[in-house]
Amino acid sequence: MKPVTVYDIAREANVSVATVSRVLNNTAPVKASTRERIMNLIQKHQFQPNALARSLIKKETGMIGIILPDITNPFFPEVLAGLEQEARSNGYTFFLCDTGSSNQDHNVQYQRESEYLNILMEKQVDGIIMIGGRIDLAKCSREMVKEVAEVNKRLPVVLINGNLPGAKFHRVIVDEISGAKRATEHLIGLGHKDIAFIGGYKQMSNTVQRLEGFCLAMEQAGMPVREDWIITGGFSVDAGKAFLNALLAMGGPRPTAIVCANDLSAIGAIKAAVKSGLRVPDDLSVIGFDDIPLAANVIPELTTMSLKCLELGRTAASILHLLISRGEDTNELTTLQPELVVRESTAPPRARG
Amino acid sequence: MKPVTVYDIAREANVSVATVSRVLNNTAPVKASTRERIMNLIQKHQFQPNALARSLIKKETGMIGIILPDITNPFFPEVLAGLEQEARSNGYTFFLCDTGSSNQDHNVQYQRESEYLNILMEKQVDGIIMIGGRIDLAKCSREMVKEVAEVNKRLPVVLINGNLPGAKFHRVIVDEISGAKRATEHLIGLGHKDIAFIGGYKQMSNTVQRLEGFCLAMEQAGMPVREDWIITGGFSVDAGKAFLNALLAMGGPRPTAIVCANDLSAIGAIKAAVKSGLRVPDDLSVIGFDDIPLAANVIPELTTMSLKCLELGRTAASILHLLISRGEDTNELTTLQPELVVRESTAPPRARG
DNA sequence: GCAATTTATGAAACCGGTTACTGTTTACGA
DNA sequence: TCGTAAACAGTAACCGGTTTCATAAATTGC
């Protein structure tokens, strides 16, 4: 069964395709009786205009591409939900491009991102949003910046939490430094003096910045930063476990509190601590970063810095919409402040025995 | 700057567009020197063929649509990852359609699903995968089945965990009944006699089936099912908390074990139990359903039935690919068995005081 | 009542590719 | 050397819409 086209409708209604198009788009006056006749035929045949054909000539597809490194990381669905909320009201639909970075090396990821950038351009998306992944690498090669810049010359690109150095992109970012600083100050305010930092990758900008915030808070409080109490190398629960165990294995006085680069590693740290007989928060305070949905649901509930992912997504979508629809030049940089969410995993240190 | 087209390349290479197309698609022999000349121009101008134009005539887009109710529910990203893995190798890209059902009433969700179905068809996707949502409602109206059936006449549709009654669709489902039965048997095998069931929505087929499996196991073990120990009305953590509190508020002997309709409500139940001074699993065993990523990471680690979401996704994607590429008729129904994952939240009951 | 608009519609070009059809060369076997 | 098949390339139709331009009919103003 051939799909029905404007021509079929036009023929049966004894009008030209132009007229059919006009009633479809309300783009010019059409006699009421004609309009009704056409509408009825559309209804009768369940006619649906072919979006490809329409987009081909209108040069807009209503599609936006989203490139992210790992959809199973709970941070991304949250951002996605924000994007969706905002973009739906503007009539966009999403291409989801998951580069599946979680268990790949960086080169594979880069290649996937390049691939997806090309595919998205071929599909004529109206704009692209990139979250995490390569754009989160503090030290990413010049070719990559150049490649994204090249794309950005053809269509709007918005980076979320992105940090492609040496190039101008529209970005909406979280103030990681200030966030980590406030997280650390929360612990200091509780009376902790021996604070460690674990999690993340030193090559990634979010880690670098969170670490910077941590150090900043410590310095301002006049407290020394112990280099061996800074352990990075992963964002996962297992990484968190390993880091905490490493911390305990050092011997000597252990930290009474830990700032984690993200919630997942915080959860891992808590698990490892509990396994080792420490109680959280009584013996060890742990603060996370991200506020993923389950942070509120682990035991003990995790104190963390909320990234307000929904807002991150919504903001990015609305900026992209502005760029697409009016080519309008909005602020190049939008900064969102993370928010301290105090739950159960942090408390004043117990007096040492 | 106008995008470059095959015509531009053809003109500059002194050939016809047909020849350019031939080197692009390797669809007919082209003289080596000509080919090279064209390739160089493509390279030089960064030419990317317009996928819309191509799809318009080829009648295939390489796009598949995914309709799901709530991307922030961790079950769906997991399935999505499976879909992506499989589909990427076949060159498909995804439209993500989140109906955002979590905080909407059913009617809104239905409407959104209809909308998305239409949009996807207009965009000429090659196929559609529907997960959860309306298709999970045991009692869904005739119009809805009809609507999806109508879509299915035009392009392949695969349902994941779907149960549109009275119509033939390709489906890949999890054997919920047998899964819940085995979960319950696990508890019975540990020596539990007083077992409750909480979570889910009675209108949804997965809940109905999980409950059925629960009752089946109890009956076969010759144990009575207490109606007032079956509490439904939600899948969330908060729902789980509320259900457990309701259970405790009943007075009289409390259950020593609980089968939960999903992991989230299981986590809620554990939280509420711990708040009430019960220890898990010592005082109360809890088993979940789904095996979301964080099930392994809460404290205590959650014993649950793994849905093998990745496999679910991969299977659906490969079936859809078969349907698209060869119109081949695969099995209409593929059933996957959930797998018992024993962790820390279940143990033999303690002797009653 | 007639010129000037406005309304209503059709013909045809266009978007950017693919491909069926056709024609010209070249290669190869006898 | 000739005939035939394969290699190579171009012309034009096509996919299914939108939109410009032109034209005819209906309104409006004076």
Side-chain angles (χ1 to χ4, degrees):
Chain A
M1 185 179 55
K2 292 268 174 301
V4 10
T5 72
V6 278
Y7 289 92
D8 302 323
I9 302 290
R11 189 174 338 108
E12 194 165 340
N14 271 317
V15 295
S16 74
V17 290
T19 305
V20 177
S21 177
R22 284 191 265 259
V23 339
L24 280 175
N25 302 296
N26 255 315
T27 175
V30 172
K31 187 158 61 162
S33 65
T34 312
R35 152 170 277 117
E36 200 186 353
R37 187 153 36 98
I38 292 174
M39 297 278 258
N40 286 337
L41 287 172
I42 288 175
Q43 188 69 31
K44 172 182 163 197
H45 290 109
Q46 308 245 53
F47 167 70
Q48 287 173 311
N50 184 321
L52 297 177
R54 166 178 289 165
S55 296
L56 185 55
I57 187 126
K58 301 250 286 198
K59 292 177 183 322
E60 63 177 54
T61 55
M63 311 188 300
I64 80 186
I66 308 206
I67 301 183
L68 47 79
D70 178 16
I71 187 69
T72 63
N73 177 332
F75 168 71
F76 297 106
E78 208 70 17
V79 177
L80 224 46
L83 288 170
E84 179 102 24
Q85 277 177 22
E86 179 70 23
R88 192 202 328 262
S89 60
N90 296 322
Y92 293 108
T93 47
F94 289 122
F95 266 117
L96 181 64
C97 304
D98 183 346
T99 58
S101 74
S102 50
N103 32 21
Q104 303 291 340
D105 69 45
H106 284 325
N107 284 331
V108 175
Q109 190 188 343
Y110 290 166
Q111 197 193 319
R112 291 252 172 89
E113 289 185 13
S114 286
E115 272 173 34
Y116 273 130
L117 280 174
N118 280 326
I119 291 178
L120 290 175
M121 294 186 64
E122 291 187 357
K123 303 256 187 213
Q124 312 295 121
V125 294
D126 290 340
I128 295 180
I129 290 178
M130 297 184 73
I131 326 176
R134 112 167 37 159
I135 62 164
D136 255 353
L137 289 179
K139 193 199 71 176
C140 63
S141 77
R142 250 168 259 103
E143 304 102 72
M144 283 154 200
V145 180
K146 217 178 123 188
E147 186 180 349
V148 178
E150 204 63 43
V151 172
N152 197 22
K153 280 201 290 193
R154 302 182 187 225
L155 49 84
V157 176
V158 171
L159 308 186
I160 293 182
N161 269 11
N163 182 39
L164 286 182
K168 299 278 178 210
F169 298 105
H170 285 267
R171 296 148 59 198
V172 21
I173 65 170
V174 167
D175 189 342
E176 312 268 6
I177 298 177
S178 145
K181 181 160 174 281
R182 295 210 312 280
T184 311
E185 285 166 352
H186 166 65
L187 295 174
I188 295 172
L190 288 170
H192 290 276
K193 295 190 162 21
D194 304 306
I195 310 179
F197 181 99
I198 66 167
Y201 287 104
K202 277 233 184 73
Q203 312 97 302
M204 293 180 72
S205 60
N206 59 2
T207 306
V208 171
Q209 292 172 11
R210 288 171 192 186
L211 191 49
E212 187 179 336
F214 168 76
C215 294
L216 213 58
M218 296 291 278
E219 275 170 32
Q220 289 191 2
M223 290 162 53
V225 171
R226 284 186 55 170
E227 283 299 327
D228 58 339
W229 279 5
I230 296 176
I231 310 183
T232 61
F235 276 120
S236 66
V237 171
D238 285 336
K241 280 188 207 173
F243 300 154
L244 191 100
N245 287 331
L247 233 32
L248 295 183
M250 282 180 191
R254 54 163 184 78
T256 62
I258 299 185
V259 177
C260 300
N262 69 327
D263 284 349
L264 253 27
S265 61
I267 290 169
I270 291 179
K271 289 195 53 143
V274 169
K275 275 256 155 59
S276 300
L278 295 177
R279 286 185 310 167
V280 177
D282 308 15
D283 301 314
L284 182 73
S285 284
V286 176
I287 188 166
F289 212 112
D290 282 353
D291 196 25
I292 59 178
L294 270 127
N297 297 316
V298 291
I299 300 171
E301 295 177 6
L302 189 65
T303 295
T304 188
M305 298 303 298
S306 168
L307 255 37
K308 294 183 285 184
C309 311
L310 269 179
E311 199 180 330
L312 213 50
R314 274 199 299 256
T315 309
S318 82
I319 290 175
L320 189 61
H321 176 58
L322 281 182
L323 291 174
I324 291 174
S325 62
R326 294 196 257 301
E328 193 167 303
D329 237 334
T330 55
N331 278 339
E332 215 154 55
L333 183 64
T334 307
T335 305
L336 264 42
Q337 288 299 330
E339 194 176 305
L340 175 65
V341 181
V342 179
R343 297 204 181 95
E344 300 171 346
S345 66
T346 53
R350 287 195 312 173
R352 279 288 163 85
Chain B
M1 184 179 58
K2 293 269 176 300
V4 12
T5 72
V6 277
Y7 289 92
D8 302 323
I9 302 290
R11 189 175 337 108
E12 194 165 341
N14 273 316
V15 295
S16 73
V17 289
T19 304
V20 176
S21 177
R22 283 192 266 259
V23 338
L24 279 176
N25 302 298
N26 255 314
T27 174
V30 172
K31 189 157 58 159
S33 65
T34 313
R35 151 171 280 116
E36 201 186 350
R37 188 153 33 100
I38 293 174
M39 297 276 258
N40 286 337
L41 287 171
I42 288 175
Q43 189 69 31
K44 172 183 166 197
H45 290 110
Q46 308 245 54
F47 167 71
Q48 287 173 312
N50 183 321
L52 297 176
R54 166 179 289 166
S55 296
L56 186 55
I57 187 123
K58 301 250 287 198
K59 291 176 184 320
E60 63 178 53
T61 54
M63 310 188 299
I64 79 185
I66 306 205
I67 301 183
L68 47 79
D70 178 16
I71 187 68
T72 63
N73 177 332
F75 168 70
F76 296 107
E78 208 69 17
V79 177
L80 224 46
L83 287 170
E84 179 102 25
Q85 277 177 23
E86 180 70 24
R88 189 199 334 257
S89 61
N90 295 321
Y92 293 107
T93 46
F94 288 124
F95 267 117
L96 181 63
C97 305
D98 183 346
T99 57
S101 75
S102 52
N103 33 20
Q104 302 292 343
D105 69 45
H106 284 325
N107 284 330
V108 175
Q109 188 187 344
Y110 290 166
Q111 197 193 321
R112 292 252 172 89
E113 289 186 13
S114 286
E115 272 172 34
Y116 274 130
L117 280 174
N118 280 325
I119 291 177
L120 290 175
M121 295 187 63
E122 290 186 359
K123 303 255 188 215
Q124 312 297 120
V125 294
D126 291 339
I128 294 179
I129 290 178
M130 298 183 73
I131 325 176
R134 115 171 29 162
I135 61 164
D136 255 354
L137 289 178
K139 193 198 72 177
C140 62
S141 77
R142 248 168 258 104
E143 305 102 70
M144 284 156 199
V145 179
K146 217 177 121 188
E147 185 180 350
V148 178
E150 204 63 42
V151 173
N152 197 22
K153 280 200 290 192
R154 301 181 186 224
L155 50 83
V157 175
V158 172
L159 308 187
I160 293 183
N161 268 9
N163 181 39
L164 287 180
K168 300 279 178 209
F169 297 104
H170 285 267
R171 296 147 60 199
V172 21
I173 65 171
V174 166
D175 188 342
E176 313 268 8
I177 297 177
S178 144
K181 181 159 175 282
R182 294 210 310 283
T184 311
E185 286 165 353
H186 166 66
L187 295 174
I188 295 173
L190 288 172
H192 291 276
K193 293 189 162 26
D194 303 307
I195 309 178
F197 181 99
I198 66 167
Y201 287 105
K202 277 232 184 73
Q203 311 97 302
M204 293 181 71
S205 61
N206 59 1
T207 305
V208 170
Q209 290 172 13
R210 288 171 191 187
L211 191 49
E212 189 180 335
F214 168 76
C215 294
L216 212 60
M218 296 292 277
E219 275 170 31
Q220 287 189 5
M223 290 162 51
V225 172
R226 281 185 57 168
E227 282 300 326
D228 59 340
W229 278 5
I230 296 176
I231 311 183
T232 62
F235 276 119
S236 66
V237 172
D238 285 337
K241 281 189 205 173
F243 301 155
L244 191 101
N245 287 332
L247 232 33
L248 295 182
M250 282 179 191
R254 55 165 184 77
T256 61
I258 299 186
V259 176
C260 300
N262 69 327
D263 285 349
L264 254 27
S265 61
I267 290 169
I270 292 178
K271 290 193 52 144
V274 169
K275 275 256 157 59
S276 300
L278 296 176
R279 288 185 309 168
V280 177
D282 308 16
D283 301 315
L284 182 72
S285 284
V286 176
I287 187 166
F289 212 112
D290 284 353
D291 196 24
I292 59 179
L294 271 128
N297 298 315
V298 291
I299 301 173
E301 296 178 5
L302 190 64
T303 295
T304 188
M305 299 303 297
S306 168
L307 256 36
K308 295 183 285 187
C309 311
L310 268 181
E311 199 180 329
L312 214 51
R314 275 199 299 255
T315 308
S318 83
I319 290 176
L320 189 62
H321 176 59
L322 282 181
L323 291 173
I324 291 173
S325 62
R326 293 196 257 300
E328 193 168 302
D329 238 334
T330 56
N331 278 339
E332 214 153 56
L333 183 64
T334 307
T335 305
L336 264 41
Q337 288 298 330
E339 193 177 304
L340 176 64
V341 181
V342 179
R343 297 202 181 95
E344 301 170 346
S345 67
T346 53
R350 286 196 312 174
R352 280 290 164 85

